[in-house]
C-alpha cells in the first residue's frame, strides 16, 4: 500500500510539476504574446504619429507657399497701384499744363479783343470828332456862302 501511495504521490508530483511547467510555459507564451502586441501597438502609434507629423509638415509647407504666393500677389498689386498712381499724376500734370496753356491763350485773346475794342472806340470817337469837324466846316462854309 505504501508503494501505491508512493507511486500516486510520485505521479501526483510529476503531474503537478508537469502542470506547473505547462502553466509556466503558458504564462511565458502569454507574456511573449503581450510583449509582441505591445510592440505592434507601439509601432502602429509611431507610424500614426509619423503620418500626422508628415501631414502637419505638408500643411505647414502649403501654408508657407500660400503666404509666399499671397505676399507676391500683394507685391504685384502694390507695384501695379504705384504705376497707376504714377500714370494718373502724369495725366493730371499734362491736363493742368494744357488748362494753363488754354487759360493763357484765352487771356491773350481777351487782351487782344479788349485792345481791338479800345482801338475801335478810339477810331469811332476820332471818326465822330472828324465828322463833327467836317460838319462844323460845312456849317461855316454854308454861313459864309449865305453872306
Amino acid at each position: 500500500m505504501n508503494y501505491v501511495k508512493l507511486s500516486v504521490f510520485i505521479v501526483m508530483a510529476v503531474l503537478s510539476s508537469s502542470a506547473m511547467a505547462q502553466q509556466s510555459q503558458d504564462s511565458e507564451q502569454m507574456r511573449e504574446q503581450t510583449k509582441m502586441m505591445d510592440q505592434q501597438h507601439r509601432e502602429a502609434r509611431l507610424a500614426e504619429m509619423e503620418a500626422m507629423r508628415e501631414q502637419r509638415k505638408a500643411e505647414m509647407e502649403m501654408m508657407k507657399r500660400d503666404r509666399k504666393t499671397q505676399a507676391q500677389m500683394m507685391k504685384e498689386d502694390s507695384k501695379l497701384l504705384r504705376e497707376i498712381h504714377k500714370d494718373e499724376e502724369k495725366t493730371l500734370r499734362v491736363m493742368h499744363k494744357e488748362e494753363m496753356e488754354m487759360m493763357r491763350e484765352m487771356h491773350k485773346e481777351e487782351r487782344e479783343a479788349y485792345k481791338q475794342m479800345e482801338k475801335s472806340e478810339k477810331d469811332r470817337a476820332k471818326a465822330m470828332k472828324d465828322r463833327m469837324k467836317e460838319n462844323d466846316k460845312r456849317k461855316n462854309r454854308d454861313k459864309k456862302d449865305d453872306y
Side-chain angles (χ1 to χ4, degrees):
M1 190 74 136
N2 282 340
Y3 178 71
V4 173
K5 281 185 183 178
L6 185 63
S7 30
V8 168
F9 180 74
I10 291 175
V11 169
M12 288 295 273
V14 169
L15 283 178
S16 174
S17 72
S18 171
M20 284 181 75
Q22 183 65 35
Q23 197 176 22
S24 174
Q25 189 179 9
D26 285 349
S27 92
E28 184 65 32
Q29 206 174 22
M30 287 294 279
R31 269 193 299 266
E32 283 295 319
Q33 200 172 16
T34 304
K35 207 186 274 185
M36 253 176 49
M37 285 175 64
D38 285 349
Q39 183 65 29
Q40 287 174 348
H41 182 67
R42 225 175 287 131
E43 287 173 359
R45 287 210 46 200
L46 284 172
E48 185 180 318
M49 287 171 63
E50 184 62 30
M52 287 175 64
R53 192 177 301 123
E54 287 297 320
Q55 184 179 357
R56 276 196 306 261
K57 188 177 176 184
E59 287 173 354
M60 293 295 277
E61 192 64 34
M62 189 183 300
M63 285 172 57
K64 187 177 174 183
R65 276 196 309 269
D66 286 349
R67 281 195 304 271
K68 198 180 272 186
T69 303
Q70 191 174 15
Q72 183 66 27
M73 285 172 49
M74 287 175 68
K75 188 176 176 182
E76 289 171 3
D77 287 349
S78 179
K79 185 178 178 184
L80 187 62
L81 282 172
R82 277 195 304 273
E83 287 177 13
I84 289 170
H85 185 67
K86 191 175 176 182
D87 289 345
E88 285 175 350
E89 283 183 349
K90 187 177 180 183
T91 304
L92 285 173
R93 279 195 302 275
V94 167
M95 284 173 54
H96 181 69
K97 186 177 178 182
E98 289 173 354
E99 284 177 5
M100 292 303 286
E101 190 62 37
M102 279 178 33
M103 294 287 280
R104 277 194 287 275
E105 200 60 39
M106 283 173 50
H107 188 64
K108 186 177 177 183
E109 288 173 5
E110 285 175 359
R111 279 189 305 205
E112 288 287 325
Y114 184 73
K115 283 180 184 177
Q116 196 68 34
M117 201 170 71
E118 280 185 340
K119 187 178 179 200
S120 293
E121 278 186 34
K122 281 182 184 176
D123 288 347
R124 211 172 321 137
K126 187 178 178 188
M128 206 180 216
K129 204 175 186 181
D130 288 345
R131 263 183 283 158
M132 285 175 66
K133 278 184 183 178
E134 194 66 38
N135 282 341
D136 285 346
K137 281 183 184 177
R138 203 176 322 124
K139 281 182 185 176
N140 284 341
R141 257 187 277 142
D142 285 345
K143 280 185 185 179
K144 282 184 182 177
D145 285 346
D146 285 343
Y147 287 117

